[in-house]
Amino acid sequence: YEGVWSRFKPERGKDKRGITGVSSEKIKKIGEKITSTPKIFNAHPTLKKIFDNIDKKKALVVGSGYMIQLAIKYLQSNGVTDITLTNRNYEKGSKIAKDNDCRYSKLQYLPNIIPSQDIVITCTSSSIPIVGKGMIESSISNSNVKPIVMIDLGVPRDIEPEIISLDNIYLY
């Protein structure tokens, strides 16, 4: 704690919370907001515009982190029971799928899985998009009349934005 940093040195008997000036009530409120369902999951009205009944739809979640687990809970709370989880790590993904009453599929089968889904939610730690326009074009037939809603929660993006030019694909 020398030089500029000396003013951040905790005084004897004070914890770091006491130094910051942030009350424990504010910290508690911040914690509540972090653990609540993200507003991005308020896509339900949008899904209702595209689908009559969301509970009869098939969903694919790509990833295995905290946001994907929230997405699974969100889908289940809205009556979706046909959920498939896919990710890079078989052990982690299959455990999360089992714990949440979902099916599991390996990520390598993603192009084969997407055409049968109605809702696709992605949130991975990939530094490049894992769902591209070419993948969607080659996996979905030209006569696809079934809409697919894709919700990309990844930062950086998991889905190439160019897919919005495809018929019956809705990207959020």
Side-chain angles (χ1 to χ4, degrees):
Y1 295 109
E2 295 178 18
V4 172
W5 298 106
S6 64
R7 64 181 180 186
F8 296 107
K9 182 178 180 181
E11 295 175 28
R12 225 174 245 281
K14 283 193 172 184
D15 65 6
K16 289 177 178 55
R17 241 182 242 166
I19 298 168
T20 63
V22 178
S23 69
S24 57
E25 290 83 29
K26 283 186 181 180
I27 290 172
K28 186 177 178 184
K29 285 181 184 178
I30 291 168
E32 288 170 0
K33 289 184 182 192
I34 290 171
T35 59
S36 64
T37 304
K39 292 185 179 182
I40 191 73
F41 291 127
N42 290 338
H44 190 69
T46 305
L47 292 172
K48 285 288 227 181
K49 287 179 187 175
I50 297 168
F51 302 123
D52 292 333
N53 287 326
I54 186 175
D55 57 337
K56 305 286 186 218
K57 300 302 174 187
K58 295 174 74 173
L60 171 67
V61 291
V62 183
S64 59
Y66 182 68
M67 290 296 287
I68 286 298
Q69 293 177 50
L70 282 178
I72 292 169
K73 300 228 180 302
Y74 168 79
L75 291 166
Q76 290 172 335
S77 71
N78 283 284
V80 179
T81 57
D82 192 349
I83 302 171
T84 302
L85 181 139
T86 185
N87 73 330
R88 288 180 292 180
N89 184 314
Y90 173 79
E91 289 80 23
K92 183 177 180 181
S94 58
K95 180 183 180 332
I96 292 168
K98 182 180 177 187
D99 292 348
N100 290 283
D101 296 322
C102 302
R103 279 191 310 282
Y104 179 79
S105 180
K106 292 182 178 179
L107 188 62
Q108 68 193 38
Y109 301 120
L110 188 62
N112 301 330
I113 303 168
I114 289 178
S116 64
Q117 305 301 310
D118 301 297
I119 302 164
V120 177
I121 300 175
T122 65
C123 188
T124 72
S125 59
S126 176
S127 59
I128 59 171
I130 58 169
V131 178
K133 184 180 178 190
M135 175 195 289
I136 300 299
E137 284 175 326
S138 64
S139 65
I140 296 177
S141 68
N142 291 337
S143 60
N144 180 43
V145 292
K146 181 183 76 140
I148 300 175
V149 175
M150 301 184 126
I151 301 170
D152 186 351
L153 303 176
V155 177
R157 294 290 184 189
D158 292 321
I159 302 173
E160 288 180 350
E162 292 82 9
I163 70 161
I164 61 170
S165 65
L166 301 174
D167 291 337
N168 293 315
I169 302 292
Y170 300 92
L171 176 62
Y172 297 97

